Amino acid sequence: MTTKTSYVSKSVEKLKPSGIRKFFDLAAGMEGVISLGVGEPDFVTSWTVREAAILSLEQGYTSYTANAGLFDLRKRIADYMNSRYQLTYDPAHEIIVTVGASQALDISLRALVDQGDEVIIVEPGFVSYVPLVELAGGVAVTVKTKPENGFNLTAEELEAAITDKTKAVLLCSPNNPTGSVLEKDDLIELAEVIKRHDLAVLSDEIYSELAYDADHVSIASLEGMRDRTIVINGFSKGFAMTGWRLGYICAPVEIAQALLKIHQYAMMCASTPAQFAAIEALDKGMEDVTEMKRSYRHRRHYFVDSLNEIGLECHTPGGAFYAFPSIRKTGLSSEEFAEKLLLEEKVAVVPGNVFGKGGEGFIRCSYASSMEQLQEAVKRLKRFVENHSN
Amino acid sequence: MQLRDWELDLLRVLQKDSRLTYEDLSKMLQVTKEEVEETVTRMEKDHILVRYNSVVDWSKVEGHEGVTAMIDVKVAPKRGVGFDEVAQRIYRYKEVKSVYLMSGAYDLSVTVEGRTMNEVANFVSDKLSTIDSVLSTTTHFQLKKYKHDGTIFGDYEEDKRIVVSP
């Protein structure tokens, strides 16, 4: 009898586990850790939203919804996209409610990518982009962005990365992990290149509610872009609903219907109580979003100024809730820095290299923590940097 | 008084946490330390910033005795001074913690604190009810404080987030 070495597919075997996982395992057993490693709001979902989910359960809404999601929710998403980002989508055919923005990304890539197609990804970028492109059979072409450009992709950098095999560009603004924001003028320049090469765009806008200095602009709202863009958004970050796993896709009808095929086979539909909660969030939750955003903005300024004061040079992030300071002056690699910081000072951060090679020399610090925690974290970081300065 | 955006933010931040230093506030609001200091001083002078309070959950302090009552007061308003004169007479007592003019079934809502129920009862019968224009009082004793001034008592939820997440 012959024995197989592994039943696991080659594409999965090739995948590297997320670098974030390693730090989670390291930090999980430690007591008294101040965590700047979290990629989620420190607010609990608004009570009115939680209560709407409870009510839906009490009323017995425990069955599947339509594959694309509750029509009421899709209508509200359409209204929201229209009023907030000047985008018009038909709730019947162009909006799909997904299990978080993560699933939205997965099915979008699977719908776009044929074997060997190249997808351009900005680096540093969210940990799942490259693996998801590879799982879809594509080739991830990463473009390293520069801190002097605020970690934003420039039209020239994009142009240089395009080949005959390029199918799509994946953008994320505001960005995780750098907090950088592509403003309207940047997007116009990128859109020109994208149109010239007839590329599709996957626009991850999960942090759109958390743009601090200028209103968020969706690339889909620019001339000639709507019909080639898949907009991905969700409730996790802006509405503090990470655990609800609720996202959505807005795309032109042809792409949306292709996506729906994958979604209906793979996932059937998103969770029903979460969808009822999301309706309430859009109806009644916007005031809380404004309040949370105001609080993040204050903490952003406090934390980024403090980082710069202690010598961890950091650009001012325009959105999300991450600071992405350089740690080069310590001479440590980002992984060494994060590991030593955790062991010596009990502060958890995420090393920049887990977001791609372009993140080496940086760490990601989430400032979605209370001011008391941030003040203590700054003290500990200061001590750490003093101990490790050359 | 018309306030600038950052001054409004300053009030919001201080209302949540009045212990922040001028230096921290200057970073949070992106103005100089001197500007924060000047503005706080001006707002104190203008009685916009009236007091810096701590919210204390006295039920957790052993041996602390105290009762709070909310009293609905019906009043005969006086010509020319309306309810203001009687409100002033009431709020000057140190036992009185708050006085509001209300719409509806009664006129003034008065919060009174005392060491014992008897002390509060005596205050109501001897002082409050005997004021000329007070027509009637209805006293409600507080049994338990669940939420006070926007703070939920006893709800000290820990951060439930995992330490590192994407």
Side-chain angles (χ1 to χ4, degrees):
Chain A
M1 197 172 91
T2 55
T3 50
K4 280 192 173 182
T5 47
S6 172
Y7 291 105
V8 177
S9 76
K10 287 192 179 61
S11 57
V12 174
E13 260 186 345
K14 271 199 302 189
L15 280 187
K16 281 189 234 135
S18 160
I20 285 184
R21 191 83 231 156
K22 184 182 154 193
F23 275 82
F24 169 72
D25 292 340
L26 200 61
M30 291 174 68
E31 294 271 323
V33 173
I34 292 186
S35 179
L36 307 179
V38 279
E40 58 181 324
D42 61 331
F43 295 96
V44 179
T45 310
S46 305
W47 173 246
T48 181
V49 174
R50 287 187 271 163
E51 205 272 340
I54 295 167
L55 183 68
S56 78
L57 291 172
E58 281 177 353
Q59 290 177 334
Y61 288 109
T62 57
S63 52
Y64 295 128
T65 67
N67 292 130
L70 287 167
F71 190 62
D72 261 1
L73 175 57
R74 281 182 279 152
K75 274 200 293 192
R76 281 169 171 86
I77 291 170
D79 291 344
Y80 168 83
M81 293 301 280
N82 194 272
S83 64
R84 296 284 286 142
Y85 309 121
Q86 297 75 52
L87 281 164
T88 307
Y89 289 100
D90 168 11
H93 305 106
E94 296 185 318
I95 294 174
I96 301 166
V97 178
T98 59
V99 181
S102 304
Q103 192 227 344
L105 273 167
D106 182 28
I107 61 175
S108 299
L109 283 163
R110 284 200 269 163
L112 284 183
V113 172
D114 281 315
Q115 202 68 31
D117 281 348
E118 290 179 357
V119 178
I120 295 174
I121 287 168
V122 176
E123 213 182 69
F126 182 51
V127 287
S128 75
Y129 294 158
V130 172
L132 286 178
V133 170
E134 289 171 354
L135 279 172
V139 177
V141 175
T142 54
V143 181
K144 203 168 145 181
T145 54
K146 300 183 186 80
E148 54 268 33
N149 295 333
F151 291 105
N152 273 328
L153 178 69
T154 64
E156 297 74 42
E157 288 165 341
L158 173 62
E159 184 93 53
I162 294 170
T163 71
D164 292 344
K165 290 183 182 162
T166 308
K167 183 73 176 281
V169 185
L170 202 168
L171 298 173
C172 176
S173 172
N175 179 278
N176 174 7
T178 62
S180 64
V181 167
L182 286 163
E183 290 182 13
K184 193 168 185 179
D185 290 344
D186 309 321
L187 289 170
I188 289 171
E189 286 180 23
L190 293 174
E192 287 311 313
V193 179
I194 288 163
K195 284 188 278 189
R196 202 179 318 128
H197 292 273
D198 195 19
L199 304 178
V201 178
L202 244 165
S203 184
D204 182 350
E205 300 179 21
I206 188 71
Y207 291 96
S208 63
E209 280 294 346
L210 304 178
Y212 304 111
D213 304 323
D215 283 342
H216 172 75
V217 178
S218 173
I219 194 166
S221 66
L222 303 181
E223 202 191 328
M225 292 305 293
R226 184 193 181 278
D227 288 343
R228 59 175 75 246
T229 304
I230 301 175
V231 177
I232 291 173
N233 210 322
F235 294 85
S236 292
K237 312 294 182 178
F239 293 88
M241 291 176 69
T242 52
W244 300 77
R245 309 311 306 125
L246 208 68
Y248 54 89
I249 295 167
C250 299
V253 62
E254 184 207 352
I255 300 179
Q257 292 308 304
L259 288 167
L260 188 58
K261 282 197 270 184
I262 312 174
H263 178 69
Q264 71 190 3
Y265 292 130
M267 203 55 67
M268 193 76 80
C269 65
S271 135
T272 304
Q275 293 189 53
F276 278 102
I279 290 175
E280 180 74 4
L282 290 176
D283 279 355
K284 308 262 173 62
M286 290 313 292
E287 223 171 277
D288 287 331
V289 175
T290 309
E291 187 58 41
M292 290 190 266
K293 184 174 157 180
R294 186 183 290 132
S295 170
Y296 291 135
R297 184 192 280 123
H298 296 150
R299 288 183 273 169
R300 167 185 71 149
H301 286 310
Y302 166 76
F303 192 62
V304 172
D305 280 10
S306 300
L307 286 176
N308 280 310
E309 272 175 20
I310 60 180
L312 295 177
E313 201 182 317
C314 185
H315 77 286
T316 301
F321 35 60
Y322 307 110
F324 202 65
S326 166
I327 47 122
R328 291 212 170 101
K329 72 168 277 191
T330 63
L332 300 169
S333 72
S334 58
E335 207 152 308
E336 284 166 346
F337 185 100
E339 199 165 326
K340 280 180 193 287
L341 179 67
L342 182 60
L343 298 174
E344 292 173 22
E345 296 288 350
K346 290 193 173 182
V347 176
V349 297
V350 181
N353 69 327
V354 310
F355 305 102
K357 284 180 194 141
E360 183 48 56
F362 296 86
I363 51 168
R364 188 192 78 176
C365 309
S366 159
Y367 50 83
S369 281
S370 67
M371 269 303 288
E372 292 79 21
Q373 293 252 300
L374 291 178
Q375 285 165 325
E376 179 59 28
V378 166
K379 264 190 223 160
R380 295 186 193 185
L381 273 163
K382 184 170 190 272
R383 193 163 52 209
F384 183 81
V385 171
E386 280 165 2
N387 290 341
H388 291 275
S389 287
N390 298 322
Chain B
M1 180 183 292
Q2 192 76 33
L3 297 182
R4 288 172 285 181
D5 282 350
W6 78 265
E7 291 173 324
L8 281 172
D9 272 359
L10 174 70
L11 292 175
R12 289 187 187 111
V13 171
L14 282 178
Q15 197 173 23
K16 275 192 192 152
D17 184 358
S18 56
R19 293 188 311 164
L20 289 162
T21 62
Y22 288 146
E23 198 175 351
D24 290 347
L25 289 164
S26 120
K27 285 182 191 168
M28 289 168 83
L29 304 166
Q30 295 289 286
V31 292
T32 63
K33 215 171 114 185
E34 291 68 32
E35 276 178 286
V36 175
E37 199 168 347
E38 269 168 36
T39 308
V40 167
T41 311
R42 176 167 50 82
M43 287 178 169
E44 285 171 349
K45 203 169 138 258
D46 292 342
H47 298 285
I48 292 174
L49 275 168
V50 184
R51 197 154 66 114
Y52 302 95
N53 257 357
S54 298
V55 177
V56 180
D57 185 353
W58 286 109
S59 70
K60 291 227 161 42
V61 181
E62 231 171 278
H64 176 82
E65 285 177 20
V67 287
T68 304
M70 298 173 82
I71 305 158
D72 311 341
V73 185
K74 280 190 185 164
V75 173
K78 283 190 180 165
R79 182 174 293 182
V81 290
F83 293 99
D84 294 353
E85 191 189 68
V86 68
Q88 278 167 18
R89 288 194 65 179
I90 293 172
Y91 69 53
R92 289 203 170 107
Y93 287 104
K94 66 174 174 42
E95 296 90 333
V96 174
K97 299 301 166 190
S98 68
V99 180
Y100 305 110
L101 179 63
M102 308 294 288
S103 68
Y106 56 94
D107 305 304
L108 296 177
S109 174
V110 178
T111 310
V112 174
E113 278 178 15
R115 267 172 301 180
T116 61
M117 212 183 257
N118 225 8
E119 199 176 284
V120 174
N122 286 340
F123 173 78
V124 174
S125 60
D126 295 353
K127 309 285 186 196
L128 198 57
S129 314
T130 55
I131 295 172
D132 266 356
S133 29
V134 170
L135 302 174
S136 72
T137 61
T138 310
T139 304
H140 312 273
F141 284 102
Q142 281 180 10
L143 302 182
K144 186 173 177 179
K145 236 178 226 178
Y146 291 101
K147 189 175 183 179
H148 175 75
D149 222 4
T151 304
I152 297 174
F153 278 40
D155 184 27
Y156 308 113
E157 283 186 0
E158 283 184 11
D159 195 339
K160 295 188 176 73
R161 299 175 297 170
I162 53 178
V163 182
V164 181
S165 69

